Amino acid sequence: MTDMTDQGGPAASVVRVLIADDHPVVRDGLVGMLGAEPGIEVVAVASGGREAVTLARHAVPDVVLMDLRMPDGSGVDAIRTLRSGPGPQPRILVLTTYDTDRDVRGAMDAGADGFLLKDTRRADLVRAVRDLAEGRPVLAPVALAALTHRSAEVPLSAREVDVLRLVAEGRTNRAIAGRLGIGEATVKTHLMHVYDKLGVTDRASAVRAAWERGLV
């Protein structure tokens, strides 16, 4: 595929997106949808996993939309390669039709930051891209349900788990405070404790670490 990178470089506020999907109609639809949004630029398009890795290293996107099953290298393999490689690490959003526990866990274990299905509404997908670029996790209900069923020793308090689960749903600190009936400052305190216990520094990393440990 042709690299669509703007050699002049977009403004810092622009979210640079790479799309990887083996279906031309899906690729074209995503390019048209996201390219029409202010503040989002599609910098590269790939038809397979290996091509996605190559283009990501050249185009340096902020967010990668990754299908899971493609003939030229699977999405899971591509995610794993991107996570183990040098250079900047993009946020990776899986966008697929496959929603089994195995698909969800395979993608998240490989290092994906979010998981959505292709029947996601346009507005929700656009918001997901922006959320991931800003470090907020994105997870479809079916994916959250699949990951919740894991068992593991829980190093977090019950309230910290409550807060983290709401973070995983993409809720803001204010929304979490309202849902749990606590102050926003208390939410921030719980999150700082979560970061410390999980050895991370931001919301998306905390959710990913919690997924890996079966905490949410």
Side-chain angles (χ1 to χ4, degrees), residues 146-169:
L147 295 169
T148 300
H149 294 149
R150 289 183 174 182
S151 60
E153 182 179 353
V154 180
L156 307 180
S157 70
R159 180 58 86 188
E160 288 165 354
V161 171
D162 288 340
V163 169
L164 194 52
R165 283 176 176 163
L166 292 172
V167 168
E169 293 177 4

Side-chain angles (χ1 to χ4, degrees), residues 96-161:
T96 184
T97 57
Y98 303 102
D99 61 356
T100 67
D101 287 8
R102 180 177 180 180
D103 290 315
V104 174
R105 293 175 182 176
M108 303 312 297
D109 287 343
D113 298 288
F115 194 106
L116 291 179
L117 299 179
K118 287 183 178 177
D119 62 1
T120 299
R121 295 181 304 175
R122 172 176 180 156
D124 291 337
L125 177 58
V126 171
R127 182 168 58 251
V129 169
R130 298 188 192 281
D131 283 347
L132 276 186
E134 295 176 6
R136 294 190 292 272
V138 175
L139 193 63
V142 66
L144 181 58
L147 295 169
T148 300
H149 294 149
R150 289 183 174 182
S151 60
E153 182 179 353
V154 180
L156 307 180
S157 70
R159 180 58 86 188
E160 288 165 354
V161 171

Side-chain angles (χ1 to χ4, degrees), residues 11-27:
S13 60
V14 173
V15 179
R16 297 165 57 83
V17 177
L18 183 153
I19 296 167
D21 196 290
D22 62 324
H23 293 96
V25 171
V26 174
R27 290 198 305 271

